[in-house]
């Protein structure tokens, strides 16, 4: 969905009420009484689950109104006016119970449900819904702080690599949609060599499955596909195969004009806030990076993002082209395009995959200075807080898929057993019917035989006929 973080804040406020009413922090003095603490936790869990169930129902109603084109009747829209599009339902109650069994939210007495708790519950709810409505056809990832640490590379020992190979082996398409705007394959290979080499060396992946890995750099500007025969295992893809129709209208003059405006805005921030930074201009991006040995404060980065965004969006060039101003952790860049377009380019390339069949995983979803935020316009999303959470999310996705498969197998076995039992019952009924019919035949024959015997006896006992007339 597009503005899920607003729903996250709303949920945090809703869950604060039962925490205040039921957490009972003084109960820690009764620690020896395990029954008492268990009862308190069960009460809190029930209230939390009830609230999330109510919100889940509101989301379901919102989706219904969304399909009918009557969003003005959505209660959720009334409560959260800025709420956007939902691509799937969200199983919030089940997701809460899943996370509560791992984070023990209901057992806490002093720390209420946090933003991180809500974020993870929503991630789980999204994964559950995708698995139920599945299959998941496309998963896209951000790079820095999603697959690897900020500024680092995807090295061979990274635990996310075998999980991505597993996705590819199951037929899932995988895209890395990154702000890194390199025009050549060599630079991307130097950042992603651990994954690329592993895909090439995999003994189980077919050539078709290998080619389901793509890299889209500069948000939505440089598209590469895995190619084992290419020098750096990546081959450029012609724009007509992936670029959206609206992108055909982008001209070099408009791109240069937008970058000129962004450059002036960024340099203005460097001067005004005395930032120890230098300008870096690329083919389709411009940004500021700190001087060697320096770091920029978070407040300086966010101020620069907001200033650049405001100036560019009010310019004539900014009204012609989509762009993304974002905080990269220790730098600020303004890119042509954004990740909603990047994800949609991947969806187009793989044959028109729908938003409800896609998942984008990233770490930047706050509205200010976050380049993953707009991916919510294109597909379902998962908001993670580091590479370790990405690994956990993929494990969770696999676990839910396995559980669903087990349920399907159990249902098949139940139907098979029901079918066998029904067949046996039918055979028994048929046998009983046959025996009943045979019994009736025997009784009828017996009656007939008895009738014939009686007739013969009567005939023998009757007096001889009158023969006087003879």
């Amino acid at each position: 969905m597009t503005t899920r973080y607003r729903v996250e804040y709303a949920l945090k406020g809703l869950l604060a009420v039962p925490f205040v009413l039921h957490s009972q922090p003084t109960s820690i003095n009764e620690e020896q009484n395990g029954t008492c603490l268990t009862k308190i936790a069960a009460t809190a869990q029930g209230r939390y689950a009830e609230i999330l169930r109510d919100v889940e129902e509101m989301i379901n109603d919102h989706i219904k109104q969304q399909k009918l084109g009557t969003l003005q009747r959505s209660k959720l829209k009334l409560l959260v006016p800025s709420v956007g599009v939902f691509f799937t339902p969200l199983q919030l109650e089940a997701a809460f119970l899943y996370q509560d069994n791992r984070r023990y939210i209901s057992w806490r007495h002093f720390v209420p449900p946090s933003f991180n708790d809500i974020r993870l519950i929503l991630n789980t709810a999204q994964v559950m819904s995708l698995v139920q409505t599945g299959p998941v056809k496309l998963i896209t990832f951000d790079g820095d702080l999603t697959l690897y640490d900020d500024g680092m590379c995807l090295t061979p020992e990274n635990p996310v690599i075998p999980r991505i190979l597993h996705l590819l082996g199951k037929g899932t398409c995988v895209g890395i949609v990154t702000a890194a705007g390199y025009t050549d394959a060599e630079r991307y290979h130097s950042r992603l060599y651990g994954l690329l080499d592993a895909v090439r060396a995999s003994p189980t992946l077919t050539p078709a499955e290998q080619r389901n890995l793509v890299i889209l750099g500069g948000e939505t500007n440089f598209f590469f596909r895995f190619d084992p025969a290419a020098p750096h295992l990546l081959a450029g893809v012609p724009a007509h195969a992936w670029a959206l129709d609206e992108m055909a209208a982008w001209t070099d003059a408009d791109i240069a004009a937008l970058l000129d405006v962004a450059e002036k805005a960024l340099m203005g921030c460097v001067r005004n806030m005395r930032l120890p930074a230098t300008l870096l201009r690329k083919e389709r991006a411009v940004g500021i990076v700190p001087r060697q040995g320096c770091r920029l404060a978070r407040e300086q980065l966010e101020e620069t993002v907001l200033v650049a965004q405001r100036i560019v969006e009010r310019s004539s060039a900014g009204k012609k082209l989509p762009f993304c101003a974002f905080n990269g952790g220790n730098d600020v860049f303004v890119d042509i395009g954004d990740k909603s377009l990047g994800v949609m380019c991947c969806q187009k390339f793989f044959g028109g995959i729908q938003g409800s069949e896609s998942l984008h995983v990233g770490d930047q979803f706050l509205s200010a200075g976050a380049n993953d935020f707009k991916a919510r316009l294109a597909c379902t999303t998962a908001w993670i807080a580091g590479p370790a959470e990405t690994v956990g999310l993929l494990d969770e996705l696999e676990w839910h898929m396995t559980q669903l498969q087990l349920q399907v197998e159990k249902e098949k076995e139940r139907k098979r057993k029901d079918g066998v039992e029904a067949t046996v019952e039918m055979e028994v009924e048929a046998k009983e019917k046959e025996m009943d019919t045979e019994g009736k035949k025997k009784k009828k024959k017996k009656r007939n035989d008895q009738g014939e015997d009686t007739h013969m006896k009567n005939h023998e006992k009757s007096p001889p006929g009158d023969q006087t007339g003879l």
Side-chain angles (χ1 to χ4, degrees), residues 163-176:
R163 290 158 175 85
I164 292 179
L165 296 181
H166 182 69
L167 289 174
L168 292 170
K170 296 185 72 171
T172 305
C173 301
V174 174
I176 298 177

Side-chain angles (χ1 to χ4, degrees), residues 406-420:
L406 290 174
Q407 290 176 11
V408 170
E409 294 299 329
K410 286 181 180 178
E411 183 65 16
K412 287 182 179 178
E413 181 65 16
R414 184 188 66 78
K415 289 182 178 179
R416 188 189 68 79
K417 288 182 177 179
D418 289 347
V420 170

Side-chain angles (χ1 to χ4, degrees), residues 40 58 72 122 148 205 207 247 249 263 271 284 317 323 360 379 404 412 418-419 452:
I40 293 170
M58 280 197 292
Q72 70 275 9
L122 283 166
Y148 42 81
L205 293 180
M247 295 168 63
E263 180 177 326
R271 288 192 302 272
R284 293 205 170 185
F323 70 94
H360 178 72
C379 67
L404 179 62
K412 287 182 179 178
D418 289 347
E452 291 178 1

